Amino acid sequence: MAAAALVLLVASPLAAREPGQASQWLERLGPALNMTSYRGVFVYARGDRVHSMRIAHRFVDGMVHERLVLQDGGDGEIVRKGMNVVCVLPQQGEVRLDQVIPSGPFAEAYANELVPVSRWYKAELVGEDRVAGYDSVIIALTAKDPHRYNHRLWLEKTSGLLVKSHVGEPGGKVLENFQFTSLEITDDLAESEFEIQTKGREVTHNLDDVPAPQPVQSSVMNGWDLGWRPPGFVPAAAPRSGPGRAVAFSDGVAAFSVFVELEGAVRMPVGASRIGATTVYMRELDAGNARFLVTVVGEVPPTTARKVAESVRVDDALALHSDDS
Amino acid sequence: MDDRLRETLSAMMDDEADELSVRRLLSHSRQDEVCDQWQRWQQVRGLMHKNHSLAEGVDVSGAVREVLDGRPRRISESDPAEPRSAARWQWPAVAMVTMALLVGFGAGAGWESADTKADTTVASAEPNNSAAEQPVDEVALQGLDQEQWEHMSRYLLEHAQHNSVGAGRGSVGYARLVSATGSGY
């Protein structure tokens, strides 16, 4: 049904379906996400879940200041100043954000890699729309192979800020929906808008200072390797996040993470699961004397996730083993 | 179904929809879509509250429309939530209960395990698609126990984190993170 709405939205194509124009917009996307100052409320829906969050965002002295406040469910907010992240967490929910927030260091933005996007997606300027009161252009990214989803991005015309996005299947079904419902692009943001206001347990983390994303090579996959990955997906983050041996891969638009861990006490079912555009694929892998759990999580089709998971080879089971024990 | 109708549905879930919006929803030309969306959300809610499955797939729009029009409903004795007084009737509380009971709290989950066939569709739409020769088996996640769910959630969250900071997707990534945490699992 959302697909129908989508079709309606873009039913008035511009005369200019220029790929060149589309890529110019895409080049603005990365910087705009960080360097635009704005406040607003956005809604995020995937699968059956809808969440809204209030956000204030500005760029001061080369640092991102950002405050997000949950608008439904429990109280909670996330304040980020550069690499310093403070979370006040909702009491409910079985998984605490603090288990995962300190996962730095990460590449600040591989949004830069949006440049070669046209190799894997057909980028088109397909129309104009109005989102949260702002005129925006609609960029359609159509996957050139079946390994990734289609994306549709609404970029505000003057700033290039992403104000709405869809992730969908080739058939047109929208799996994930992000949209500002109210937005004010302004430099007039008070200091107080970036201060924690919710009372509760505060968790502070410093994402380690890593000045620039280093080109990550296969060496980051300590003890294991991928026999196959969809073309265009490159390692994007160092695997220092928590206890998992996660490596993230991105093609500049979509990303998936691969986890290879010794199978612990908890036995997990194998197979694929989906929520919105996110697929989780798990499988067991015997190597040496140990059994590993391989998990692929990402905004990729289940078939891609499976193929990636099935291609994982544990090169040095012992190394992995001794590190964990 | 447009965003406004979706909002109305969402508001109904929260007992906050006003009558005008509900009427607009009911007059929507694609009632099947409306019902479908409603049911999916109810299923999530049902799961969150660990409710058991009642009747599924019942179209209650007719009944609700009658309630809105203040007409007495031709209903069976077994409907516990029939509004007696249409005059002082408030949309949310009463009709919500009616609707919830009739639609039933399904045993489904936010996870689209029911969508298995969609994968095949995606695959067949693409020629020369060696990656997708066979449909992918899907795991019914509602069957996970607490420990398994926590384990799975950690992966989801870490990935969301990669997206928000690593991918420079900013708020989208954060939203994925919150969405993954949910508020009731």
Side-chain angles (χ1 to χ4, degrees):
Chain A
M1 69 189 89
L6 183 61
V7 170
L8 286 179
L9 278 174
V10 299
S12 55
L14 294 183
R17 281 180 168 257
E18 294 254 338
Q21 256 185 300
S23 52
Q24 278 171 18
W25 279 108
L26 287 174
E27 282 168 29
R28 294 177 64 183
L29 172 62
L33 276 171
N34 277 334
M35 288 153 82
T36 311
S37 289
Y38 57 90
R39 66 165 79 86
V41 175
F42 65 82
V43 172
Y44 178 77
R46 70 173 175 188
D48 295 323
R49 301 187 183 191
V50 183
H51 286 274
S52 63
M53 296 184 92
R54 197 165 73 236
I55 183 171
H57 181 108
R58 68 177 177 185
F59 193 70
V60 180
D61 299 333
M63 264 201 333
V64 170
H65 292 196
E66 197 169 58
R67 177 166 173 261
L68 291 114
V69 185
L70 312 189
Q71 297 295 289
D72 36 32
D75 284 338
E77 59 182 279
I78 300 167
V79 169
R80 175 176 162 215
K81 285 193 173 144
M83 297 303 267
N84 176 266
V85 179
V86 180
C87 301
V88 181
L89 309 165
Q91 286 307 303
Q92 59 208 96
E94 288 157 3
V95 174
R96 304 280 174 227
L97 288 178
D98 55 335
Q99 289 176 354
V100 288
I101 286 294
S103 30
F106 283 109
E108 228 329 277
Y110 51 54
N112 300 337
E113 294 177 23
L114 275 171
V115 182
V117 146
S118 56
R119 240 186 113 181
W120 316 109
Y121 298 88
K122 188 174 71 175
E124 282 178 311
L125 183 62
V126 292
E128 298 187 9
D129 194 6
R130 207 159 155 267
V131 178
Y134 283 89
D135 289 330
S136 50
V137 295
I138 308 171
I139 308 291
L141 297 173
T142 309
K144 288 183 177 173
D145 60 37
H147 305 308
R148 59 206 98 218
Y149 285 130
N150 292 343
H151 298 254
R152 196 165 280 257
L153 310 172
W154 280 252
L155 306 181
E156 197 273 324
K157 272 188 176 174
T158 49
S159 65
L161 181 67
L162 181 73
V163 288
K164 177 173 175 174
S165 73
H166 284 166
V167 181
E169 292 174 344
K173 184 182 178 189
V174 175
L175 301 170
E176 183 185 295
N177 202 325
F178 163 88
Q179 178 176 358
F180 275 99
T181 51
S182 80
L183 177 65
E184 198 182 345
I185 298 176
T186 171
D187 288 327
D188 186 22
L189 293 166
E191 190 64 36
S192 62
E193 293 186 56
F194 297 93
E195 283 163 11
I196 294 274
Q197 281 158 30
T198 312
K199 288 217 165 114
R201 190 165 56 102
E202 284 187 18
V203 182
T204 310
H205 294 294
N206 279 300
L207 306 177
D208 289 4
D209 257 323
V210 168
Q214 291 137 7
V216 193
Q217 295 310 320
S218 62
S219 59
V220 298
M221 289 166 272
N222 199 355
W224 58 272
D225 197 5
L226 286 184
W228 179 85
R229 61 187 184 227
F233 279 88
V234 294
R240 319 243 181 100
S241 45
R245 295 173 176 274
V247 180
F249 297 85
S250 171
D251 66 352
V253 178
F256 63 85
S257 304
V258 182
F259 302 80
V260 179
E261 292 179 334
L262 265 183
E263 188 165 71
V266 185
R267 280 196 64 98
M268 300 299 291
V270 294
S273 306
R274 302 204 286 167
I275 177 167
T278 305
T279 300
V280 182
Y281 189 93
M282 290 194 275
R283 70 180 278 248
E284 289 172 338
L285 174 67
D286 287 316
N289 299 323
R291 169 165 285 194
F292 296 91
L293 180 67
V294 175
T295 308
V296 176
V297 184
E299 285 66 51
V300 291
T303 45
T304 304
R306 178 182 61 186
K307 204 168 171 190
V308 170
E310 284 176 350
S311 80
V312 169
R313 291 182 304 247
V314 175
D315 303 326
D316 190 351
L318 196 62
L320 201 56
H321 194 225
S322 56
D323 269 15
D324 267 340
S325 55
Chain B
M1 192 159 77
D2 65 22
D3 287 347
R4 201 162 55 162
L5 292 177
R6 206 179 283 270
E7 270 170 31
T8 303
L9 264 185
S10 173
M12 281 166 67
M13 293 284 292
D14 297 325
D15 295 5
E16 284 169 6
D18 62 88
E19 186 176 325
L20 193 67
S21 307
V22 174
R23 281 183 191 279
R24 196 165 54 225
L25 188 70
L26 289 172
S27 62
H28 185 58
S29 55
R30 298 293 307 269
Q31 283 295 306
D32 51 340
E33 290 180 355
V34 174
C35 288
D36 180 47
Q37 182 71 58
W38 171 258
Q39 251 168 281
R40 278 147 51 92
W41 284 354
Q42 282 294 347
Q43 284 175 355
V44 179
R45 169 172 287 198
L47 190 82
M48 284 154 96
H49 295 291
K50 301 220 186 312
N51 278 301
H52 295 292
S53 177
L54 292 175
E56 242 189 301
V58 185
D59 181 359
V60 295
S61 56
V64 171
R65 199 175 288 117
E66 283 180 13
V67 171
L68 276 179
D69 291 343
R71 275 183 270 140
R73 287 187 48 204
R74 309 174 302 278
I75 48 162
S76 63
E77 298 282 310
S78 63
D79 184 348
E82 182 196 0
R84 295 287 168 199
S85 149
R88 292 193 48 80
W89 180 79
Q90 292 186 326
W91 159 248
V94 185
M96 269 296 298
V97 176
T98 314
M99 232 179 170
L101 282 175
L102 286 175
V103 172
F105 296 97
W111 294 79
E112 304 189 334
S113 47
D115 267 352
T116 319
K117 291 185 195 72
D119 301 333
T120 332
T121 318
V122 174
S124 57
E126 303 287 335
N128 306 323
N129 180 6
S130 58
E133 279 153 0
Q134 36 190 331
V136 176
D137 290 334
E138 297 217 10
V139 181
L141 284 178
Q142 54 268 45
L144 294 186
D145 63 28
Q146 169 111 359
E147 270 190 324
Q148 289 174 324
W149 175 252
E150 281 185 17
H151 203 77
M152 170 93 72
S153 298
R154 188 167 60 75
Y155 292 138
L156 277 172
L157 291 167
E158 271 197 47
H159 171 69
Q161 169 93 3
H162 293 167
N163 257 351
S164 67
V165 184
R169 293 299 294 271
S171 31
V172 183
Y174 277 120
R176 282 205 183 103
L177 190 130
V178 171
S179 177
T181 335
S183 55
Y185 283 90

